[in-house]
Amino acid sequence: MSNMTTSSAPGKIILFGEHAVVYGRPALAVPVTQVHADVEVSGAARPGIWIDAPDVDLHAELNTLPSDHPIASVINNIFFLSHVSPFPNLEIKITSTIPVASGLGSGAAVTVALTRALASHLNHLMTDEEVNAFAYEIEKLHHGTPSGIDNTVVTYAMPVYFVKGQPIETFKVGEPFTIVIADTGISAPTRESVGDVRKSWEAEKAKWENVFDEIGDISFAARHVIREGWVKMLGALMDENHALLKEMTVSSPELDRLVKAASEAGALGAKLSGGGRGGNMIALVEPEMAESVSLSLMAAGAKNTIITQVT
Ligand code: PMV
C-alpha cells in the first residue's frame, strides 16, 4: 500500500434542461475544471480515521460523525465494499475550491474524489461505472431525489447528455466555446424549487408536460448545435430555455437581472443554471468578450464569476 493516495474531481454546470430532467427529458451538463475537490489519503501515526476538511471546518475522527453524514457514509461504505478489517489508521485531507450549494456540484465532486482516493488506497478497484453508481447513492443522502446528473458529469469529467435512468452518453464539442458563470450569492435549496415545480405539475399536468417537452427539444437541439460547432445558435437556445424556466417560477429578480446584464454586455445568450431562485447563471460569450461580460455581471450584483471554456 503506497503511503499517500490522491484524487481530484472537477465542478460541473448544467447548460440546458434543468428541472425538465427530473421528468425524464434530456439535459446537458459539462465539467468546470477551474474549480475542483481534492482528497489525500495517507496512513496515520495515531489510531483512528482522521478527517480534515478545512473548507467546511470539519476536523474529526470518523466515529464522532453521525453515520448519515455524507463523508462518513462514503468512508464506511468504501471500507465495507473493500472488505478491509480491521479499519486501518488514516489521515484524510479534503479540500475544495468549488463554491458550496450553488449548483456547481461540490457535494458530488467531494464524494467522487474521496471514493477514488480511498478505494485506491485500499487497493480496491472501482470502474467509473461503479464510482458513478456509488456517488449517486451518496447524492441521495444530500439531496433526496436527485436526477443523477451531478455525479455523472463529475465522475466522467466529460460533457454529458443526460437522460434519467439511461446509460450515460457523452458528446463531442465541435468547436470550443466560452461561458461566464456568475453567482448571485443567494443560496437556494434545489429541493425547494424542485418541490414547487412538482406542485405546479400536479395541479396542471398537461400544461407542464408541454413545457418540459419544449425544454427537452432545446436540449436535443443544443447537443446537435454543439457537436456541429455552431456556437452562435447556442445563445438563442439559452435565451429560450431561460424564458421557460422563468415561466416555471424558478428564476428570481437577481437571476433575471444578471441574464439581462449579460445580454446587454454582448453575451450571445444567457440563462439560469441548476435549481434556480438563486445560485448561478451562465452566459455564452465570444472569448474576447469574456472579461467585459464578467465585469458587467459583477456590476449588476454578481458575487463571483468563473470564465470557463467548454472543450
Ligand atoms: O442546482 P443543481 O446544479 O444541483 O441542479 C439541479 C438540477 C435539477 O434539475 C433542478 C434537479 C436535478 O436533480 O436534476
Side-chain angles (χ1 to χ4, degrees):
M1 203 184 286
S2 70
N3 197 36
M4 191 196 285
T5 321
T6 61
S7 187
S8 183
K12 75 98 212 339
I13 194 95
I14 296 180
L15 295 182
F16 294 96
E18 48 275 275
H19 288 289
V21 71
V22 174
Y23 299 82
R25 274 55 165 200
L28 265 65
V30 295
V32 179
T33 51
Q34 281 83 352
V35 288
H36 40 90
D38 295 271
V39 175
E40 284 176 14
V41 178
S42 52
R46 50 182 171 170
I49 290 143
W50 295 88
I51 300 144
D52 182 24
D55 304 308
V56 290
D57 210 21
L58 174 67
H59 310 274
E61 205 285 319
L62 179 65
N63 285 312
T64 65
L65 295 177
S67 62
D68 61 350
H69 188 289
I71 289 175
S73 178
V74 170
I75 298 171
N76 281 314
N77 280 293
I78 294 298
F79 280 154
F80 180 78
L81 292 171
S82 40
H83 305 286
V84 282
S85 162
F87 287 5
N89 298 326
L90 296 175
E91 303 279 351
I92 299 176
K93 174 146 193 173
I94 303 173
T95 53
S96 173
T97 57
I98 309 174
V100 175
S102 63
L104 283 166
S106 73
V110 166
T111 297
V112 167
L114 177 58
T115 300
R116 286 195 174 127
L118 200 55
S120 143
H121 197 82
L122 302 170
N123 291 320
H124 174 65
L125 191 72
M126 283 178 90
T127 62
D128 286 347
E129 210 177 333
E130 285 167 339
V131 170
N132 191 30
F134 178 68
Y136 183 53
E137 293 307 315
I138 302 295
E139 282 284 285
K140 290 184 195 166
L141 298 178
H142 288 275
H143 298 308
T145 56
S147 61
I149 193 168
D150 278 31
N151 48 280
T152 303
V153 177
V154 166
T155 299
Y156 291 89
M158 280 165 82
V160 169
Y161 180 81
F162 183 85
V163 182
K164 200 168 128 184
Q166 285 188 20
I168 103 127
E169 211 180 315
T170 60
F171 63 93
K172 288 249 165 346
V173 176
E175 199 67 55
F177 56 93
T178 306
I179 57 176
V180 183
I181 303 169
D183 192 346
T184 59
I186 298 166
S187 84
T190 293
R191 202 187 274 270
E192 278 172 27
S193 61
V194 168
D196 288 351
V197 170
R198 183 159 299 272
K199 278 183 212 136
S200 307
W201 174 75
E202 273 163 0
E204 275 178 293
K205 285 200 179 148
K207 171 181 171 182
W208 293 108
E209 286 291 335
N210 261 328
V211 171
F212 299 150
D213 278 344
E214 283 181 63
I215 293 176
D217 290 349
I218 290 174
S219 294
F220 187 79
R223 175 177 65 168
H224 182 75
V225 162
I226 292 172
R227 275 178 176 159
E228 298 293 329
W230 298 335
V231 176
K232 284 189 179 154
M233 290 178 67
L234 257 192
L237 292 172
M238 281 191 183
D239 293 339
E240 274 175 51
N241 196 162
H242 185 72
L244 292 165
L245 288 161
K246 226 173 133 167
E247 197 179 328
M248 238 184 250
T249 77
V250 296
S251 192
S252 70
E254 296 79 10
L255 284 164
D256 291 338
R257 185 164 70 230
L258 295 183
V259 166
K260 185 159 171 270
S263 307
E264 287 170 1
L268 302 169
K271 63 182 279 295
L272 72 84
S273 172
R277 301 268 167 85
N280 285 293
M281 57 75 69
I282 53 175
L284 177 72
V285 296
E286 304 277 15
E288 63 277 13
M289 296 293 286
E291 279 300 331
S292 62
V293 169
S294 162
L295 288 172
S296 301
L297 286 166
M298 293 298 285
K303 295 294 172 291
N304 184 42
T305 64
I306 297 170
I307 297 170
T308 189
Q309 257 228 329
V310 179
T311 52

